[in-house]
Amino acid sequence: MNPPEPNFHPTGPAAADGWIPPVLPGLEFPGCTPIRLKPSEIETYEGRLEFWDAAAATAWVAEPTTPVHERPSRALSALAERIAQVRGSPVTCLGSMDLLVRDSKGAPRRIMQADESLYLYPLSANLPRGAAMVVGEHDFPDVVLEVDHTTDARRGKLKLYEAWGFPEVWIQVPSVPSPSRPKSRLPGLTIYLLEDGAYRVSGESRVFPGWTAGEIHSALDGPVPSAETIAVLERVGAVLGAREGTGPDDDPLLRSQRQQAKEQGIEQGIEQGLAAHRETLRLLAELKFGSAAASEFARRLEAVTDPVLLAESGERIVRCDTADELLERSKSP
């Protein structure tokens, strides 16, 4: 059930034109500033917003954004790509796209913007083609991320996510403190899973099996993925791949890299074998003709890469009676 329509009463002084920012019963957007934004203006509005309501003709915005706020959403996109590579099938992140609910006439009624929206199965999902994911028309993102650096999504946006039916929501509170954040709001990540129309807090993701809230928080909070985080991503990707019968060789980039590594390994093995063969021939030449002749013989063999020609060089050692004869016949082995 959607929250009730707004009850217009003052939240502060009226604007110069007499507009009074409204309050929506049951919904709060701490850390956000209400701005007047009429339905006729929403189509051309290009700024970031937390929430917009047509009946209230108001958008709540949290600006300016900071690197502390933006980093987790960028990190999630990169982390999901690592998981996708190990799984062997793509993941799509659509960022802070509009999450739109229409009214009975098809006009925009309410809009939210998550900090990140992630689709785990983009090849089969009904993805939005334009700027908005429309509730009831497109598939929900498998995960939406909210970063509460100066805001508190639990008091407004989370209630709307629940009412609209979003299956999994993550709320990340960065470890970097904010002066406006209550001290009782501790850093960490909370996972909300929708069950029977209501959210419950979970210790691990349903979409990414085995990825715990603590592990996700650490991955989103750090400047670069740690070795522990990389191991977790590989574990989660492997579990997903096992379910689907896919793996790293199904990812174009990893498949190419593995093939290159295999080819390089073969080449290195061949070169090591040739080097060992040359050394054996040098030792045989040394036993028969002495170290000086053997060193010169080995020098002439350095350019020989054909195993057949190396075998013929071995026959020369046996057939030649003197060092001079061996070196003369080895000018062009």
Side-chain angles (χ1 to χ4, degrees), residues 172-310:
Q172 166 83 346
V173 179
S175 294
V176 176
S178 168
S180 62
R181 187 194 307 164
K183 292 183 179 180
S184 59
R185 196 84 197 279
L186 301 178
L189 181 129
T190 307
I191 298 172
Y192 296 90
L193 303 181
L194 191 69
E195 293 185 357
D196 298 324
Y199 282 136
R200 70 170 179 86
V201 175
S202 174
E204 67 178 52
S205 171
R206 181 163 53 201
V207 174
F208 294 101
W211 204 5
T212 68
E215 291 168 338
I216 298 170
H217 172 70
S218 296
L220 298 181
D221 211 44
V224 295
S226 65
E228 291 78 8
T229 291
I230 296 299
V232 170
L233 301 179
E234 291 179 346
R235 182 192 74 208
V236 174
V239 171
L240 288 170
R243 288 182 178 180
E244 301 168 30
T246 56
D249 282 337
D250 294 293
D251 179 81
L253 176 60
L254 292 190
R255 182 171 63 247
S256 175
Q257 290 179 338
R258 286 187 170 201
Q259 182 61 32
Q260 291 177 21
K262 181 179 179 180
E263 292 172 355
Q264 290 173 358
I266 292 174
E267 291 176 358
Q268 290 173 356
I270 292 174
E271 182 54 40
Q272 289 172 357
L274 292 173
H277 195 172
R278 294 188 192 101
E279 177 61 16
T280 299
L281 294 175
R282 188 195 67 78
L283 290 173
L284 290 174
E286 184 175 359
L287 288 173
K288 189 172 181 179
F289 301 112
S291 58
S295 296
E296 177 61 21
F297 179 64
R299 185 187 67 79
R300 298 185 184 192
L301 293 181
E302 289 178 358
V304 179
T305 59
D306 188 335
V308 174
L309 294 179
L310 283 178

Side-chain angles (χ1 to χ4, degrees), residues 53-54 59 61 74 92 131 137 167 171-172 185 217 282 286 324 326:
D53 185 277
V61 299
R74 303 297 184 270
T92 293
E137 295 182 18
I171 297 182
Q172 166 83 346
R185 196 84 197 279
H217 172 70
R282 188 195 67 78
E286 184 175 359
D324 289 341
L326 174 67

